[in-house]
C-alpha cells in the first residue's frame, strides 16, 4: 500500500519542519517547499496527492496567486489552504481560487491528518 503524498508549502522553517515530521509520523509521504516557485516545480514533477499551502508566503505570492499557480502546475492535485490569518473573505477567496479545503494554523496534528485523509477518501 502506498502512502499518500503531501507537499507542505510553508515559509516558516520551524513550522515547515514540524509539519513534515508530524505528517510523516501520521503515515504520509511528505515533501516541503519554502516558496511558491519551489512548490510549483515539485508539483509539476512529483504530482503530490495534496498540497498543504500557507496563505501568505514571504516571496510575495498571496494565497490566491499561489493557489492558481499550483493549480496550473498540477491540475489534478488537491490543495488545502492553511493560514493563521482571520480576515473576512479569505476562506471564500481560497475556495474560489481552487482550494478544496481551508484550515487554520494551530489545528491539532491528528485533526489535520484526518482532514487530509477525508479529502483524499472523498475523491478516491
Amino acid at each position: 500500500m502506498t502512502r499518500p503524498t503531501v507537499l507542505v508549502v510553508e515559509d516558516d522553517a520551524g513550522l515547515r519542519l514540524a509539519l513534515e515530521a508530524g505528517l510523516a509520523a501520521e503515515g504520509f509521504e511528505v515533501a516541503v517547499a519554502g516558496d511558491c516557485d519551489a512548490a510549483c516545480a515539485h508539483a509539476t514533477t512529483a504530482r503530490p496527492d495534496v498540497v498543504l499551502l500557507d496563505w501568505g508566503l514571504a516571496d510575495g505570492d498571496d494565497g490566491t496567486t499561489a493557489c492558481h499557480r499550483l493549480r496550473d502546475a498540477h491540475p489534478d492535485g488537491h490543495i488545502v489552504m492553511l493560514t493563521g490569518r482571520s480576515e473576512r473573505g479569505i476562506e471564500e477567496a481560497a475556495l474560489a481560487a481552487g482550494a478544496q479545503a481551508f484550515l487554520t494554523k494551530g489545528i491539532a496534528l491528528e485533526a489535520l491528518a484526518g482532514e487530509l485523509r477525508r479529502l483524499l477518501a472523498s475523491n478516491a
Side-chain angles (χ1 to χ4, degrees):
M1 179 168 78
T2 61
R3 299 188 316 165
T5 58
V6 177
L7 171 59
V8 175
V9 186
E10 171 61 56
D11 56 357
D12 179 293
L15 181 55
R16 188 171 60 239
L17 182 61
L19 287 168
E20 179 180 22
L23 289 172
E26 286 288 328
F28 293 91
E29 186 71 35
V30 184
V32 296
D35 60 47
C36 195
D37 289 340
C40 287
H42 182 83
T44 299
T45 59
R47 318 299 276 177
D49 296 313
V50 178
V51 176
L52 186 60
L53 176 62
D54 180 18
W55 176 267
L57 296 170
D59 65 1
D61 278 330
D62 68 4
T64 300
T65 302
C67 197
H68 283 298
R69 289 185 62 200
L70 283 159
R71 179 69 48 224
D72 289 344
H74 182 23
D76 300 326
H78 301 292
I79 298 175
V80 174
M81 193 65 69
L82 183 68
T83 186
R85 296 175 57 182
S86 61
E87 294 96 294
R88 187 178 167 115
I90 288 180
E91 181 174 2
E92 293 82 11
L95 297 174
Q100 283 84 16
F102 183 88
L103 302 172
T104 303
K105 287 182 179 177
I107 185 173
L109 180 63
E110 297 80 13
L112 173 59
E115 289 295 325
L116 297 178
R117 286 187 192 100
R118 273 190 284 286
L119 175 66
L120 292 168
S122 70
N123 292 294

